Amino acid sequence: MAPEELEGEIQKGLEGVIIDESEISRVFGDEGKILIRGHDVEDIAKHADLQETLYLVWNGELPTREEYEPFRDDMFERRELPDDVIETLRNYAAADLHPMDAMMATTANLAGYDDHIDPHAPQTFEDSIDEVMEMGKNIVAKLPTITASYQRMREGKDPIAPREDLTFGENFLYMLQGEVPPELFADALETEIQIHVDHGANASTFTSRVVASAMANPYEAVTSAMGALAGPLHGAANQDALNMLDDMDKSEKSIEEWVQDRFDEGDVIYGWGHRVYNTYDPRAKIVAEYAEDIIDSPYGDDRWYKLARDLEGYLMENTELAENGIAPNVDFYSGTVYQQMGIPTDIYTNLFTMSRVGGWLGHIIEQYSDNRIIRPRVQYTGPDERDWVPFE
Ligand code: MLT
């Protein structure tokens, strides 16, 4: 039903964000397919790198060779954090803030270092898609540095400054672990970030659009969207899926017993089922292929992936989940690959954020371009009369 037809009725499931064909990604639940600006996500994973993917999401088409190199170099030059932001991160580590909360606070903090924002002037961006794009590049380039620096501080180590000569995947693992990783790891990480970049009207993208529709600046819209992604029913599911596999492994129960107990307790099987898919999430297949490649390589730590694969096999063959359209989504496998690279579980949602921020900014830019201010209607759905309680 179109929103106007809902007038007066209880408006549940009201469309808050209208994502049409021309916009950034389309998700086909029956086929298990994702198109990002018309390109199949599997083609993007195979034939493009992360910077090309960002350019595509923000500009609507892949960059030419002449456009690509300056864009890539520009993004790599924006990775550094201001020194006192690093000191603030140390305070968050001392307070043992969750990495997502530290990322949110630091992203808001970075607005104070962006020349495109004047804290003493009214925030209007009517005519400056370029300004929004510049702020967006600053945010996207710095989130990996925030994540890696903060994780090292939580481990009692000093942060490692980013390098401009490394690819996205190489640089993140270098900042996190202190050495340039094998190409297979850098590629696998970059592919994970690419395939999570946008996914139709999910909760965090909705949040970014609604906040931006109030003419809030990109730092404010992105920080709000991070809050949505931090939820266990959205971006935190990848962390919870790994913790779930660990619980299964440590339970020393058979998979059958463990699953039955989980069902009896009404606990979620993290990484299974989806608001759109009633078949396999195509991103899960892409990630699982990397997991297999890593296992077959000299670096393979196959514990987590095998746990996931064994659980999937049991659930697909012994439960009615699959016939009810409940199949693995990307969260079920993404953490097994991160684990193989030695990335700690606590920052998996930060990695999801490092990706989805590209999509959020694409939607914000799209919204400013079309000057479409999308405002959700808040509908009072309680009883008509209000029983005011008089003050005694
Ligand atoms: C996502 O990629 O955002 C998740 O699959 C959740 C969703 O699309 O709702």
Side-chain angles (χ1 to χ4, degrees), residues 199 202 234 274-275 283 352 356:
H199 202 252
N202 59 85
H234 189 11
H274 197 275
R275 70 182 169 88
R283 301 168 297 180
F352 197 151
R356 189 55 52 88

Side-chain angles (χ1 to χ4, degrees), residues 27 195-196 198-205 229 233-235 274-277 281 283 329-331 352 356:
V27 183
I195 64 177
H196 282 86
D198 198 64
H199 202 252
N202 59 85
S204 55
T205 300
L229 196 65
L233 295 185
H234 189 11
H274 197 275
R275 70 182 169 88
V276 179
Y277 295 119
D281 180 339
R283 301 168 297 180
N329 65 50
V330 67
D331 297 322
F352 197 151
R356 189 55 52 88

